[in-house]
Amino acid sequence: MAAHRESSESTLRKRRVETWKTTTTHSDDNIRNNEEGTCKAKKKELVTLQTGTYWLTRIVLLRSIAFIYFIAFTVAYNQNKQLIGERGLLPCKDYLLSVKRYVGGKIDMSAFAYTPSILWFLDWTDMDANLDGIALVGMALSGFVLLTGTANMIIMAMLWVLYHSLVSVGQIWYSFGWESQLLETGFLGIFLCPVWSLSQVPPRCPPSLISIWTFRWLIVRIMLGAGLIKIRGDRCWRDLTCMDYHYETQPVPNPMSYYMHQSPWWFHRFEVLSNHFIELIVPLFTFLGRRMCMVNGTLQIVFQVTLIVSGNLSFLNWLTIVPSLACFDDASLGFLFSSGRGAKQAVLDLQAEEAAGWTPKPTRGMLFRRVVNVALGVLIGYLSVPVVLNLLSSKQVMNTSFDPLRIVNTYGAFGSITKERTEVILQGTMNEDPKDPEAVWEEYQFLCKPGDLTRRPCLISPYHYRLDWLMWFAAFQTYEQSEWVIHIAGRLLANDTSILSLMEYNPFQGRDNPRWVRGEHFKYRFTLPGSGPQGKWWVRKRIGAYFPAVDLVALRGYFKSRNWPHPDL
């Protein structure tokens, strides 16, 4: 009887436990269902992106940086061999050897600090292959990021190291301000990304607000630097007359430059005033809240697009658009993405979960990433000190780096404006006597720079012809200051195919080599629409000889003294 009673109590106890478990399970399920229902309701309510997040901004920034990298590496692949290759005009191998001698004859950290480049660690027996390899890997990586809109720190760091390796040995061919600007922009891009993940919207790696502000700080410095150097520089920026000359005398005009140059005087004054407003006043909007920051971003983009339309300034203006994009959050960039799927939907889901209180607990990786972001902010702040002091100085310098890695730099453009356009025109002749007044001199044509009076100005931006740009600088210097011009002359005397690949027209194609080559100096002006000779974009007037007629025999000693290979070898 007692045994039967114990058995009954045991059975009853088990039933109570099972009932409690069932009740508890149903209760938990109800709570979970309620939470899921709340989240689903929030998602239904949240049909528009909220302000203050930067998931989509990160995708736009990464794609934009990748686009510039792709252009830059493409330019490098097409032109590096002719400019800094084994038989280039200024071989990078010779430059590296001179750096090696300067730092004591060893390839160590001092050499790397002076010229940061992975070329130090590669085989120099085929430098052309090294240069092509760097460019091709850079094109592949940047193309991947451009197409997918995703990247990690490894990929972005590799792109930065590869391009830094080229800039460091590029010498005058890579001496433009946008090279440092791309390196700084690319460095900041490293810290936009997760370390490993290749997800467009990695839930545990939201874009850091510190990282976004480093881009905003960059656009502020770029524009203030450009504006202040103008006010302190050429007087025409203060008397509002610079745009009377700019379109005609800029390095490589495009077709629109011709028509913009013909604008009435009052429009040119308006352009200068607008330039001062956008470069000196508008950047300060960045610090006045979300809407004013977006106004700054919008005006800067419109300004850069105007510059793109009116001239061939390489990828400079395209690159300057990139940090301006950081002025916009997800809510303002949502129109660029498809609704109902992809990155935009993923961001909507994340915002809904956050609104419902579903936020992931910080992991060690997330906490470490926060430390890295703070460290980035401290580094940029520290390196910005000399840059800010330079901005405040009456002796401001532009396009200068204060650290060997070019992480934070000074910027500026067109602090002085050339009032007259001069061009160096290279000519060759088959005549035995270059002084013979009957000698027929035939002109070489570069790919883009003005030469033939009837040729329409080219349209190449964001692409960049480095030799054409340097010829613009050479035209207001002497050939003694630009000895590489004589190097070009020697190569032309030998009909060197590598140098001729950087030119549009060789008058001696398929003929014997020229006996003599000379440089002539001309003043160029745009024709007036309807008033100049029909079919001509330019008129010109000879100034004199830029360098005298030279032949291979006369250049033998000149080349030998500079350790250049003689063209006829």
Side-chain angles (χ1 to χ4, degrees):
M1 192 71 180
H4 176 71
R5 187 164 48 250
E6 287 178 2
S7 176
S8 298
E9 290 177 356
S10 176
T11 301
L12 183 61
R13 194 180 301 115
K14 288 180 180 180
R15 287 178 179 175
R16 287 175 179 172
V17 170
E18 290 174 359
T19 301
W20 178 80
K21 286 182 177 180
T22 302
T23 303
T24 302
T25 301
H26 288 166
S27 177
D28 289 344
D29 289 341
N30 289 336
I31 292 172
R32 189 177 297 108
N33 290 335
N34 287 337
E35 289 177 346
E36 290 177 356
T38 301
C39 186
K40 289 179 180 178
K42 289 283 186 182
K43 288 182 180 180
K44 289 180 180 179
E45 293 174 6
L46 200 63
V47 294
T48 58
L49 293 163
Q50 302 300 299
T51 62
T53 62
Y54 299 91
W55 301 93
L56 301 182
T57 306
R58 170 163 62 188
I59 297 172
V60 174
L61 282 170
L62 287 176
R63 275 196 158 128
S64 301
I65 296 171
F67 171 73
I68 305 299
Y69 266 135
F70 187 82
I71 297 296
F73 282 115
T74 301
V75 172
Y77 180 72
N78 290 333
Q79 301 176 34
N80 271 357
K81 293 185 291 296
Q82 301 92 316
L83 300 176
I84 60 174
E86 290 282 353
R87 290 179 60 84
L89 294 174
L90 295 173
C92 65
K93 182 177 179 180
D94 293 348
Y95 174 75
L96 289 171
L97 288 172
S98 67
V99 172
K100 181 180 175 182
R101 289 192 298 269
Y102 177 77
V103 298
K106 295 182 180 180
I107 300 177
D108 52 17
M109 284 306 299
S110 58
F112 189 80
Y114 191 89
T115 304
S117 176
I118 61 173
L119 287 170
W120 287 115
F121 311 111
L122 300 180
D123 184 3
W124 291 3
T125 56
D126 191 351
M127 193 62 80
D128 286 352
N130 294 337
L131 294 172
D132 280 352
I134 290 173
L136 288 172
V137 173
M139 290 170 64
L141 291 175
S142 57
F144 171 80
V145 178
L146 177 61
L147 292 174
T148 64
T150 183
N152 55 32
M153 294 183 77
I154 307 301
I155 292 176
M156 296 305 291
M158 287 179 65
L159 285 168
W160 183 76
V161 169
L162 290 171
Y163 199 66
H164 212 309
S165 295
L166 296 179
V167 173
S168 296
V169 300
Q171 303 160 83
I172 62 170
W173 312 110
Y174 282 79
S175 61
F176 309 109
W178 55 76
E179 312 295 356
S180 294
Q181 188 175 326
L182 177 53
L183 288 174
E184 179 170 352
T185 305
F187 179 81
L188 299 179
I190 297 172
F191 298 90
L192 274 176
C193 311
V195 176
W196 301 107
S197 174
L198 287 175
S199 170
Q200 280 192 333
V201 186
R204 293 187 177 274
C205 188
S208 164
L209 194 57
I210 293 176
S211 182
I212 295 297
W213 269 101
T214 59
F215 282 95
R216 293 176 178 177
W217 176 230
L218 174 58
I219 189 61
V220 168
R221 287 187 288 108
I222 290 171
M223 302 315 294
L224 287 180
L228 289 171
I229 201 70
K230 290 181 176 68
I231 291 296
R232 292 168 174 152
D234 202 316
R235 182 177 177 178
C236 70
W237 288 113
R238 297 188 294 276
D239 62 24
L240 310 183
T241 59
C242 274
M243 299 309 291
D244 294 347
Y245 315 101
H246 168 72
Y247 294 115
E248 184 177 70
T249 62
Q250 65 178 302
V252 185
N254 70 10
M256 188 57 69
S257 308
Y258 175 85
Y259 297 103
M260 295 291 286
H261 180 68
Q262 319 299 337
S263 301
W265 67 269
W266 57 265
F267 184 76
H268 289 318
R269 305 299 180 271
F270 170 75
E271 288 178 306
V272 178
L273 287 172
S274 300
N275 182 94
H276 292 333
F277 175 69
I278 291 175
E279 291 185 341
L280 293 171
I281 304 300
V282 173
L284 303 179
F285 293 180
T286 305
F287 307 104
L288 301 180
R290 176 177 178 268
R291 290 187 178 180
M292 293 303 289
C293 185
M294 289 170 58
V295 170
N296 172 47
T298 302
L299 290 177
Q300 298 301 347
I301 291 173
V302 170
F303 181 53
Q304 298 305 319
V305 170
T306 302
L307 296 177
I308 290 169
V309 169
S310 62
N312 291 304
L313 299 177
S314 181
F315 51 76
L316 171 62
N317 306 119
W318 301 76
L319 176 60
T320 305
I321 289 174
V322 175
S324 303
L325 296 170
C327 295
F328 303 94
D329 58 14
D330 291 340
S332 54
L333 293 178
F335 73 95
L336 297 174
F337 296 81
S338 300
S339 299
R341 59 188 178 86
K344 185 174 183 178
Q345 188 58 47
V347 174
L348 283 169
D349 292 345
L350 285 172
Q351 289 184 346
E353 290 174 3
E354 183 177 356
W358 284 19
T359 54
K361 293 182 180 181
T363 62
R364 288 184 179 179
M366 295 173 69
L367 293 174
F368 177 74
R369 184 55 185 266
R370 291 177 186 176
V371 173
V372 171
N373 292 333
V374 172
L376 172 66
V378 172
L379 175 66
I380 299 300
Y382 173 75
L383 295 178
S384 295
V385 172
V387 174
V388 172
L389 293 176
N390 178 69
L391 285 175
L392 299 176
S393 171
S394 60
K395 298 180 180 180
Q396 177 192 0
V397 293
M398 66 180 190
N399 300 328
T400 301
S401 301
F402 293 99
D403 63 271
L405 295 180
R406 308 191 195 204
I407 295 174
V408 179
N409 312 289
T410 67
Y411 300 104
F414 296 107
S416 61
I417 294 291
T418 307
K419 307 305 187 296
E420 292 183 339
R421 180 178 201 91
T422 58
E423 292 288 347
V424 177
I425 304 298
L426 301 182
Q427 303 173 338
T429 184
M430 300 285 293
N431 199 286
E432 292 185 4
D433 182 6
K435 297 181 181 180
D436 183 353
E438 300 298 322
V440 178
W441 290 92
E442 300 177 75
E443 296 185 2
Y444 294 87
Q445 299 297 329
F446 284 77
L447 290 169
C448 201
K449 90 174 191 68
D452 182 0
L453 303 180
T454 62
R455 188 176 67 171
R456 177 179 62 84
C458 64
L459 183 62
I460 57 167
S461 177
Y463 198 76
H464 179 41
Y465 293 128
R466 296 186 181 278
L467 180 57
D468 289 52
W469 265 75
L470 265 295
M471 288 300 294
W472 178 75
F473 284 102
F476 46 82
Q477 298 174 336
T478 66
Y479 75 86
E480 291 91 350
Q481 295 170 300
S482 304
E483 292 183 339
W484 49 269
V485 175
I486 306 300
H487 198 169
I488 293 175
R491 297 294 189 85
L492 296 180
L493 285 165
N495 265 346
D496 184 274
T497 55
S498 65
I499 295 303
L500 287 168
S501 69
L502 299 178
M503 295 187 173
E504 182 183 70
Y505 176 67
N506 170 22
F508 302 95
Q509 180 72 35
R511 299 160 54 190
D512 290 339
N513 296 354
R515 292 174 184 251
W516 301 88
V517 167
R518 71 181 184 184
E520 290 287 278
H521 209 185
F522 288 90
K523 183 188 298 183
Y524 271 64
R525 290 188 298 106
F526 278 137
T527 59
L528 294 175
S531 63
Q534 189 172 4
K536 291 187 176 181
W537 293 80
W538 301 93
V539 292
R540 73 184 186 185
K541 180 180 180 181
R542 184 176 183 272
I543 300 172
Y546 184 77
F547 65 84
V550 294
D551 65 356
L552 286 176
V553 175
L555 288 179
R556 187 176 297 275
Y558 191 90
F559 273 55
K560 185 176 181 180
S561 66
R562 287 153 181 80
N563 199 32
W564 296 341
H566 198 266
D568 62 356
L569 296 179

